[in-house]
Amino acid sequence: MQLARLIKHVAATHWRTRMLFPARTLDAIKQAIGRAERAHTGELRFVIETALTPWHVLCGVSPRARALEAFAHLKVWDTELNNGVLIYVQLADRSVEIVADRGFAGRVTQSEWDAVCRLMEQYFRAGRFEAGSIAGVDAIGALLARHFPATATGEQDSHNQLPDRPTLL
């Protein structure tokens, strides 16, 4: 099994990632994040990783563990209200992971986050990467709006703490 996974990761190319997530799709995701963030004070970060390094694969690093690394590396945890959320898409393993900051503890259940991941993966299996990404952003936006609604002063508009544009790793 580990050999098959290693081959998948070594064979994955950034060229294919760019085909699945061209500039117009990245722009659409950025716009969806901007729209979603107007409804809440939370922060969304979207990351797409083509594949893990052979060392990560041989060490058995799971998509979840890699998402946690990205969460820390990109400082999604460093938001004022501790309400940052990372959407991590790992293409070689065909996995979506969501990592939420400690501000969500006791507010959003793991099954709610998992439902968003499965929704996105369903779109991705059908080859609908843009639609799946936007559906995921919208679903997470609804969860954030429920727990961290926008302030009446529009404070969240001028307080964007994380980039809205998706990051390719």
Side-chain angles (χ1 to χ4, degrees), residues 2 5 52 54-63 65:
Q2 189 173 1
R5 185 174 182 227
L52 301 178
W55 179 253
H56 278 114
V57 175
L58 292 172
C59 289
V61 174
S62 68

Side-chain angles (χ1 to χ4, degrees), residues 137-148:
V137 167
D138 290 345
I140 291 170
L143 289 172
L144 274 96
R146 185 171 40 168
H147 298 291
F148 296 96

Side-chain angles (χ1 to χ4, degrees), residues 92-161:
D93 284 329
R94 298 181 181 172
S95 179
V96 176
E97 296 289 338
I98 296 172
V99 181
D101 204 350
R102 61 191 172 276
F104 288 98
R107 296 178 188 219
V108 178
T109 66
Q110 187 60 47
S111 63
E112 289 175 292
W113 295 126
D114 290 345
V116 176
C117 293
R118 302 304 80 86
L119 171 71
M120 292 176 68
E121 290 169 352
Q122 182 179 359
Y123 275 95
F124 293 171
R125 277 192 299 277
R128 300 181 61 210
F129 290 88
E130 183 174 324
S133 299
I134 292 170
V137 167
D138 290 345
I140 291 170
L143 289 172
L144 274 96
R146 185 171 40 168
H147 298 291
F148 296 96
T151 61
T153 62
E155 172 184 325
Q156 74 285 355
D157 291 337
S158 63
H159 210 273
N160 196 6
Q161 300 170 56

Side-chain angles (χ1 to χ4, degrees), residues 32-113:
I33 290 171
R35 276 192 313 274
E37 287 183 347
R38 284 192 287 278
H40 55 75
T41 59
E43 288 290 324
L44 289 172
R45 188 81 195 262
F46 199 105
V47 173
I48 304 154
E49 187 162 40
T50 301
L52 301 178
T53 66
W55 179 253
H56 278 114
V57 175
L58 292 172
C59 289
V61 174
S62 68
R64 180 71 181 174
R66 183 65 181 130
L68 290 168
E69 286 178 13
F71 182 84
H73 176 72
L74 297 170
K75 298 183 180 182
V76 179
W77 54 266
D78 196 21
T79 61
E80 184 177 339
L81 299 175
N82 299 316
N83 60 356
V85 176
L86 174 74
I87 303 169
Y88 174 81
V89 177
Q90 210 280 333
L91 292 174
D93 284 329
R94 298 181 181 172
S95 179
V96 176
E97 296 289 338
I98 296 172
V99 181
D101 204 350
R102 61 191 172 276
F104 288 98
R107 296 178 188 219
V108 178
T109 66
Q110 187 60 47
S111 63
E112 289 175 292
W113 295 126

